[in-house]
């Protein structure tokens, strides 16, 4: 499904499709079982230029657009949602605010090495009592001579155990509005907390991070002024949602592929089960749902690249793609029947990992409220 792709976009897609087939998919089960950050493949992605795809050439990237980035994300996710998750974090939320708001010293010492995979970035927003509700964030940044003192606890921080720096949202100033800070791992008062034992994406480490009277120099306040954090977040939120939709497309395609292969090989009552209408209907429904979600995700990315309004379409794309992927992975497990429940087949991993896409970038319930609000405006 080319969606009128340019030659450059097709080249990106084909490059990462080969990388998935040759390097990611064969290693995915082993990565999953090890419960470890996929450092070797992460470094290979850096060498392929993935982390710089959507950044301009003068910043060290390749000047690609969001659609090309999503095509790459989709192919990586087809092999491993864990790898796609940590790679997307690095290429998007983990480095975006450094690029957009950081000074030259930060760009040279952290941002450019991050594009090369030499430094790993993470973002700290969610707190024990603040997830979808950004107003519930209580981490504070107190003004002191030369900077701020950061105090608070974040949770569900992707890549935290291996991160070299964190983009932290905290309340600062008299108005106590959200402000963005860059906190390096070696700053005094930074503590990586307990790892979160998750249902899926086992190769994507996630943990709590605590800031105990952590001094942050003024040069590391990424916000141009206190309280502008939410506005900067809104600028990238649509991209986060579209990229999460691309991850969903990848795992859904993997699940359909596995179900189709199994159905062609599994014989019952003297013939392959893909000759039975019950199975054919499942496969047809899965393929049609993937095609529909693919158009939504790529259309939203195209709108962003064209500089057109896209926030509503981004919410729709992420909602549709993640719910579709959860359904497709479930149907794939049903096609495999008992073997869909067996750890030796990858469908059980798809079924576990796909839940990640239902959460990242906003839950389905939040996205429906976003869409309804836009329709009522």
């Amino acid at each position: 499904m080319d969606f009128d792709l340019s030659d450059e976009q097709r080249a990106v897609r084909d490059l990462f499709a080969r990388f998935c087939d040759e390097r990611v998919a064969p290693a995915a089960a082993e990565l999953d079982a090890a419960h470890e950050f996929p450092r070797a493949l992460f470094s290979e992605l850096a060498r392929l230029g993935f982390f710089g795809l959507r950044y301009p050439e003068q910043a060290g990237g390749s000047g690609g657009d969001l659609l090309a980035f999503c095509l790459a994300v989709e192919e990586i996710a087809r092999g491993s949602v864990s790898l796609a998750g940590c790679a997307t974090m690095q290429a998007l939320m983990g480095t975006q605010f450094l690029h957009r708001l950081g000074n030259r010293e930060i760009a040279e010492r952290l941002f450019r090495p991050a594009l090369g995979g030499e430094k790993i970035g993470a973002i700290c927003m969610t707190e024990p009592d603040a997830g979808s509700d950004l107003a519930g964030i209580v981490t504070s940044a107190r003004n002191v001579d030369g900077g701020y003192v950061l105090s608070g606890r974040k949770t569900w921080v992707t890549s935290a155990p291996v991160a070299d720096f964190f983009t932290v949202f905290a309340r600062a100033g008299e108005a106590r509005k959200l402000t963005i800070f860059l906190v390096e791992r070696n700053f005094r008062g930074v503590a990586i907390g307990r790892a979160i034992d998750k249902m899926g994406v086992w190769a994507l480490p996630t943990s709590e991070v605590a800031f105990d009277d952590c001094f942050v120099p003024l040069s590391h306040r990424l916000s141009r002024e206190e309280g502008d954090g939410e506005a900067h977040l809104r600028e990238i939120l649509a991209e986060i949602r579209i990229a999460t939709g691309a991850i969903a497309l990848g795992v859904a395609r993997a699940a359909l592929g596995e179900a189709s292969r199994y159905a062609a090989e599994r014989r019952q009552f003297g013939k392959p089960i893909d000759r039975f209408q019950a199975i054919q209907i499942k496969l047809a429904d899965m393929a049609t749902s993937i095609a529909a979600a693919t158009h939504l995700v790529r259309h939203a990315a195209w709108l962003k690249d064209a500089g057109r309004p896209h926030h509503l379409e981004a919410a729709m794309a992420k909602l549709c793609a993640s719910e579709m992927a959860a359904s497709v992975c479930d149907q794939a497990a049903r096609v495999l029947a008992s073997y869909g429940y067996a750890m030796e087949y990858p469908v059980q991993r798809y079924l576990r990992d796909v839940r990640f896409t239902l959460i990242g970038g906003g839950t389905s319930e939040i996205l429906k409220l976003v869409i309804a609000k836009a329709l009522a405006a």
Side-chain angles (χ1 to χ4, degrees), residues 37-71:
F37 182 79
R39 194 171 293 274
L41 289 174
F42 188 86
S43 296
E44 289 187 46
L45 282 174
R47 289 193 290 273
L48 290 174
F50 175 77
F51 302 131
L53 262 179
R54 47 182 292 282
Y55 290 114
E57 293 181 9
Q58 59 267 30
S62 57
D65 55 23
L66 181 61
L67 180 52
F69 178 75
C70 286
L71 293 169

Side-chain angles (χ1 to χ4, degrees), residues 92-140:
L92 194 58
M93 299 86 82
T95 50
Q96 174 70 14
F97 297 103
L98 272 67
H99 166 65
R100 182 176 295 175
L101 303 171
N103 59 35
R104 180 173 298 179
E105 190 271 339
I106 287 172
E108 293 301 323
R109 189 169 55 83
L110 295 176
F111 175 72
R112 284 180 179 269
L115 295 192
E118 300 162 20
K119 298 285 186 180
I120 297 175
I123 192 166
C124 299
M125 286 195 299
T126 301
E127 297 183 2
D129 295 318
S132 300
D133 180 18
L134 291 178
I137 289 177
V138 297
T139 295
S140 65

Side-chain angles (χ1 to χ4, degrees), residues 179-196:
T179 305
I180 310 172
F181 297 90
L182 169 63
V183 179
E184 299 185 47
R185 187 189 184 95
N186 60 3
F187 282 7
R188 182 177 298 178
V190 177
I192 308 302
R194 71 177 183 91
I196 299 173

Side-chain angles (χ1 to χ4, degrees), residues 172-338:
E174 293 183 6
R176 311 303 294 164
K177 290 186 177 181
L178 289 181
T179 305
I180 310 172
F181 297 90
L182 169 63
V183 179
E184 299 185 47
R185 187 189 184 95
N186 60 3
F187 282 7
R188 182 177 298 178
V190 177
I192 308 302
R194 71 177 183 91
I196 299 173
D197 192 14
K198 307 184 300 298
M199 170 184 173
V201 287
W202 289 345
L204 179 61
T206 309
S207 70
E208 297 178 343
V209 180
F211 304 97
D212 185 11
D213 291 338
C214 171
F215 175 72
V216 181
L218 185 59
S219 62
H220 281 50
R221 188 190 78 187
L222 294 178
S223 286
R224 294 192 174 96
E225 57 186 44
E226 291 178 348
D228 68 3
E230 198 164 341
H232 287 300
L233 177 61
R234 281 198 299 270
E235 291 178 8
I236 194 177
L237 188 56
E239 292 183 61
I240 294 171
R241 288 171 173 166
I242 296 167
T244 305
I247 293 176
L249 293 178
V251 67
R253 286 176 52 205
L256 174 59
E258 186 64 21
S260 298
R261 283 190 293 273
Y262 180 86
E265 296 170 0
R266 175 68 167 170
R267 298 182 67 87
Q268 291 288 282
F269 306 103
K271 58 184 177 181
I273 64 172
D274 66 359
R275 302 285 182 84
F276 293 99
Q277 286 187 342
I279 299 299
Q280 292 172 343
I281 289 170
K282 284 185 184 297
L283 297 176
D285 284 343
M286 293 159 68
T288 303
S289 297
I290 291 172
T294 297
H295 278 281
L296 272 177
V297 171
R298 295 187 182 178
H299 178 63
W302 176 81
L303 287 173
K304 169 64 175 64
D305 291 332
R308 297 171 62 175
H310 58 279
H311 285 78
L312 172 61
E313 288 80 4
M316 289 177 169
K318 193 273 181 181
L319 171 65
C320 176
S322 60
E323 291 289 352
M324 171 280 298
S327 175
V328 165
C329 290
D330 176 64
Q331 291 303 313
R334 292 170 188 259
V335 171
L336 270 70
S338 299

